[in-house]
């Protein structure tokens, strides 16, 4: 079976913008990373006629975790990427970048658990029929118990969810999937993560949403039924953004890994790094925005930060992610956009069906491509498995779940994405605080984005931190750390909270 590892060239290829080895008289604003945050910052600045240079480590793709990988004409996401935001400004930026190719995508997602498929968002009748009257009774009793006698203090993910859903539902619908995602026990995961991701959702609300049916919009954002999606996948948004930034005079340079960030008493002065051939590059700047992982930012500073700051940076952890894309020789495999796999008997955590997001993700309508998603740690057994072994595992598990039959897979591709998730363990906040306090001394350096701020942000909040940081460069006074932390910080709409994500992404 031919296997490809993140093959195919997509996006911008080598930027036509020239490489800058040294500065010119007027120093540009340097942006590290060309994911949604870095490119949004560049977008905002270039529209205000500022001079920007973006350094992106990847030799092929922009878009970071929100890229679209291409192989043999198939397109796939790093996890399915829904475009949904309560922020008018974020929606406007998406529309400005991609005015014509943004499709409305209906969501159909289910949970696979103990051999059955449950609708998700939960539909009361469906869940109760599949769980049976005894389990339903147990769930309601355990919910009532949790409401009457909540666990206090509420420190861990287990406690947070149990208090809102009861122990029984926690075990069925949260525990195994969450532990697959994070690779650690729910007792070690901070309640913050649940509060940020599933805020606004409760059993009561889930039932109300289910009873309302598809006509009324759900009230919690975890239950969003429709979302926008670029016709050619999320990467199309960011490839187009990069093209437009370059057309407006900005530079987006691929294959430029920032390795050292140089500073002195005046602030950050320049960055240096190499491409994959080992060639050395240097870029001076007036201002620096960093969307590279916060840990990496701290460890790249020269001179290095004090010992306690370095220790805090080293303590930040990430969860990594890989997708095995299976090409199935069948036009229709299942109707869902994605399926959550809660069943602990398989390792796969979620299965995407890309053509149900957009038909253009598959080159031949007679075929289907499935994304078998595995959560892992860089360097662990899963991560270092050969692509062939990973494909065999994915095929075996897809057959075991009943999605495909023996002999139906034509081809497979493996994509590994390091640092997909910043881990919210019990101490992460303390470490981020230590780093934040020290970094605030720099008047010309701002961390932005998801890993850039070690904040579990979706694209919209990653973008929003970047928009505000870009405005700070031009004299604004925003606190980017408040985005997705404090209610409605710089967000339009009537949301009572800022979460736009899914408890399960
Ligand atoms: C499985 C999964 C599903 C998701 N689903 C959704 C969804 O449905 N909707 C949604 O809105 N969001 C979703 N997200 C979140 C979304 O992917 C992120 O919010 C977004 O990509 C973060 O953007 P960013 O620019 O901050 O960071 P990134 O996307 O991580 O981009 C950072 C960039 O910096 C580059 N870089 C790193 N180090 C260096 C260096 N030293 N020098 C130069 N460049 C460097 C990287 O190569 C990368 O391109 C999902 C995430 C995951 C993991």
């Amino acid at each position: 079976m031919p296997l490809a590892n993140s093959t195919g060239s997509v996006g911008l290829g080598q930027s036509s913008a020239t490489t800058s080895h040294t500065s010119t008289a007027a120093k540009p604003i340097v942006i590290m990373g060309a994911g949604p945050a870095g490119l949004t910052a560049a977008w905002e600045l270039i529209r205000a006629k500022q001079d920007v240079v973006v350094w992106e480590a990847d030799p092929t793709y922009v878009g970071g975790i929100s890229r679209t990988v291409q192989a043999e004409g198939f397109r796939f996401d790093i996890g399915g990427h829904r475009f949904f935001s309560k922020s008018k400004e974020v929606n406007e930026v998406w529309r400005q970048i991609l005015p014509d190719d943004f499709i409305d995508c209906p969501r159909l997602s289910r949970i696979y658990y103990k051999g059955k498929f449950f609708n998700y968002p939960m539909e009361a009748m469906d869940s109760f029929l599949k769980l049976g009257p005894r389990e339903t009774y147990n769930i309601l009793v355990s919910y009532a118990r949790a409401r009457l006698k909540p666990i206090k203090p509420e420190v861990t993910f287990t406690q947070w969810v149990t208090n809102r859903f009861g122990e029984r539902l926690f075990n069925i619908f949260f525990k195994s999937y969450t532990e697959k995602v994070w690779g650690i026990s729910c007792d070690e995961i901070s309640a913050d993560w649940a509060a940020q991701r599933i805020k606004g959702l409760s059993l009561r609300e889930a039932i109300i949403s289910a009873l309302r049916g598809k006509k009324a919009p759900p009230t919690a954002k975890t239950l969003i039924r429709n979302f926008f999606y670029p016709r050619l996948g999320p990467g199309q948004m960011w490839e187009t953004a990069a093209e437009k930034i370059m057309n407006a005079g900005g530079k987006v340079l691929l294959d430029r890994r920032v390795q050292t960030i140089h500073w002195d008493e005046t602030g950050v002065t320049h960055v240096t790094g190499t491409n994959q051939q080992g060639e050395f590059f240097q870029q001076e700047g007036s201002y620096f925005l960093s969307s590279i992982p916060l840990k990496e930012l701290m460890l790249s500073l020269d001179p290095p930060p004090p010992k306690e700051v370095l220790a805090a940076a080293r303590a930040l952890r990430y969860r990594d992610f890989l997708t095995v894309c299976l090409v199935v020789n069948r036009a229709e495999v299942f109707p869902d956009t994605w399926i959550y796999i809660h069943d602990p008997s398989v390792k796969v955590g979620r299965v995407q069906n890309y053509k149900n997001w957009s038909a253009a993700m598959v080159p031949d309508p007679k075929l289907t491509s499935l994304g078998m998603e595995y959560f892992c740690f860089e360097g662990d057994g899963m991560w270092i498995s050969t692509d062939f072994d990973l494909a065999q595992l994915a095929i075996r598990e897809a057959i075991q779940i009943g999605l495909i039959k023996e002999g139906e897979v034509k081809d497979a591709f493996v994509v590994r994405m390091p640092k997909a998730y910043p881990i919210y363990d019990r101490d992460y906040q303390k470490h981020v605080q230590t780093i934040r306090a020290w970094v605030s001394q720099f008047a010309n350096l701002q961390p932005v984005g998801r890993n850039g701020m070690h904040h579990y942000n979706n694209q919209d909040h990653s973008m929003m931190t970047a928009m505000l940081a870009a405005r700070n460069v031009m004299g604004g006074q925003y606190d980017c750390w408040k985005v997705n932390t404090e209610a409605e910080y710089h967000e339009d709409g009537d949301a009572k909270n800022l979460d736009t994500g899914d408890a399960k992404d």
Side-chain angles (χ1 to χ4, degrees):
M1 175 191 303
L3 287 173
N5 188 6
S6 183
T7 58
S9 95
V10 72
L12 303 168
Q14 200 57 40
S15 158
S16 59
T18 52
T19 304
S20 176
H21 281 261
T22 52
S23 69
T24 52
K27 293 177 188 166
I29 297 151
V30 177
I31 298 170
M32 302 175 227
L39 290 176
T40 300
W43 179 263
E44 187 83 12
L45 289 163
I46 207 83
R47 284 162 61 89
K49 309 267 180 271
Q50 304 289 317
D51 185 12
V52 293
V53 176
V54 183
W55 271 30
E56 166 55 51
D58 197 280
T60 312
Y61 294 104
V62 294
I65 307 169
S66 308
R67 71 186 59 184
T68 298
V69 175
Q70 278 194 48
E72 309 284 340
F74 292 89
R75 296 170 170 272
F76 40 103
D77 296 11
I78 310 299
H81 270 66
R82 288 178 288 157
F83 285 65
F84 174 81
S85 183
K86 284 281 174 190
S87 160
K88 208 168 131 219
E89 281 195 288
V90 166
N91 281 300
E92 265 168 23
V93 169
W94 284 335
R95 293 274 166 205
Q96 284 160 357
I97 296 172
L98 212 58
D100 303 321
D101 248 354
F102 215 23
I103 58 177
D104 186 8
C105 186
R107 164 186 180 158
L108 174 61
S109 54
R110 287 178 296 167
I111 291 174
Y112 176 79
Y113 178 71
K114 288 205 173 156
K116 291 187 179 140
F117 289 93
F118 294 81
N119 291 348
Y120 185 84
M122 280 162 55
E123 284 164 18
M125 236 355 144
D126 171 77
S127 301
F128 296 155
L129 282 176
K130 283 171 187 155
L131 288 167
R134 173 179 289 226
E135 189 62 83
T136 300
Y137 172 79
N138 288 339
I139 286 171
L140 293 175
V141 170
S142 118
Y143 174 66
R145 199 179 295 134
R147 299 310 292 171
L148 288 171
K149 218 174 159 207
I151 307 166
K152 286 197 178 138
E154 202 175 66
V155 180
T156 67
F157 180 83
T158 306
Q159 292 163 344
W160 196 98
V161 177
T162 305
N163 280 350
R164 281 152 192 84
F165 293 88
E167 192 183 349
R168 206 86 190 180
L169 263 191
F170 164 73
N171 281 324
I172 297 173
F173 285 121
F174 291 91
K175 187 175 182 336
S176 70
Y177 184 81
T178 306
E179 290 183 352
K180 273 187 194 180
V181 173
W182 293 109
I184 52 177
S185 155
C186 288
D187 297 335
E188 286 179 64
I189 300 168
S190 160
D192 281 3
W193 183 70
Q196 190 189 321
R197 300 298 291 187
I198 47 187
K199 185 163 49 177
L201 177 62
S202 66
L203 184 58
R204 198 173 143 266
E205 181 145 353
I207 292 171
I208 291 170
S209 171
L211 294 174
R212 279 181 177 164
K214 290 184 180 162
K215 282 179 195 135
T219 48
K221 279 163 273 180
T222 52
L223 304 179
I224 295 301
R225 291 188 196 274
N226 274 60
F227 50 87
F228 287 104
Y229 190 69
R231 192 176 59 83
L232 298 173
Q236 185 185 12
M237 176 69 70
W238 303 113
E239 289 154 21
T240 310
E243 266 161 28
K244 290 188 173 178
I245 289 162
M246 290 196 289
N247 288 342
K251 290 180 180 139
V252 180
L253 304 174
L254 299 187
D255 202 4
R256 295 283 180 283
R257 178 173 291 281
V258 175
Q259 281 163 330
T260 310
I261 299 157
H262 306 261
W263 62 283
D264 60 22
E265 66 288 347
T266 63
V268 176
T269 52
H270 60 289
V271 294
T272 52
T274 57
N275 62 9
Q276 291 195 331
Q277 279 68 51
E279 279 177 87
F280 176 81
F281 298 94
Q282 173 166 324
Q283 178 65 58
E284 293 189 11
S286 56
Y287 209 108
F288 296 79
L289 299 179
S290 167
S291 69
I292 71 177
L294 192 56
K295 176 182 197 155
E296 197 176 325
L297 171 71
M298 288 297 107
L299 300 181
S300 304
L301 284 160
D302 181 25
K307 263 201 286 195
E308 65 279 9
V309 179
L310 282 178
R314 288 199 180 98
L316 294 179
R317 296 193 292 154
Y318 304 88
R319 184 72 166 155
D320 310 296
F321 183 83
L322 68 83
T323 307
V324 184
C325 180
L326 300 179
V327 177
V328 182
N329 202 358
R330 213 199 305 170
E332 301 295 334
V333 175
F334 55 80
D336 310 58
T337 28
W338 67 90
I339 299 174
Y340 299 107
I341 311 296
H342 283 210
D343 208 298
S345 69
V346 286
K347 290 186 174 151
V348 64
R350 199 169 43 184
V351 185
Q352 301 289 341
N353 190 340
Y354 301 109
K355 73 195 292 189
N356 292 344
W357 291 69
S358 165
M361 301 294 275
V362 174
D364 179 346
K366 294 194 287 307
L367 303 175
T368 297
S369 64
L370 302 182
M372 302 286 287
E373 299 180 347
Y374 294 91
F375 307 96
C376 45
F377 287 112
E378 203 174 345
D380 71 7
M382 172 79 70
W383 187 265
I384 61 169
S385 291
T386 63
D387 290 358
F388 184 82
D389 287 346
L390 288 169
Q392 294 304 319
L393 170 74
I395 293 168
R396 235 181 9 254
E397 295 198 336
I399 294 172
Q400 183 180 329
I401 300 166
L403 299 178
I404 60 166
K405 297 192 201 80
E406 199 90 44
E408 278 197 307
V409 172
K410 262 175 73 88
D411 209 345
F413 311 96
V414 177
V415 175
R416 292 173 178 78
M417 176 51 67
K419 298 191 173 58
Y421 298 90
I423 291 186
Y424 278 18
D425 56 26
R426 288 199 194 184
D427 291 328
Y428 88 97
Q429 270 192 325
K430 193 177 75 190
H431 301 314
V432 171
Q433 277 302 339
T434 304
I435 295 169
R436 249 178 92 173
W438 188 78
V439 165
S440 68
Q441 71 173 302
F442 290 103
N444 72 341
L445 170 67
Q446 289 181 85
V448 294
R450 176 173 165 114
N451 286 332
M453 301 174 86
H454 206 84
H455 203 151
Y456 198 102
N457 288 325
N458 266 349
Q459 288 175 100
D460 61 338
H461 289 131
S462 307
M463 292 168 66
M464 211 179 292
T465 60
M467 279 177 192
L468 299 185
R471 288 173 203 170
N472 287 344
V473 174
M474 298 180 285
Q477 296 271 314
Y478 298 100
D479 184 351
C480 304
W481 293 97
K482 285 187 179 166
V483 171
N484 201 11
T485 304
E486 290 196 4
E488 306 199 35
Y489 185 71
H490 202 74
E491 186 152 21
D492 320 297
D494 55 2
K496 291 212 170 46
N497 57 63
L498 292 173
D499 181 33
T500 59
D502 193 308
K504 296 172 175 300
D505 278 345

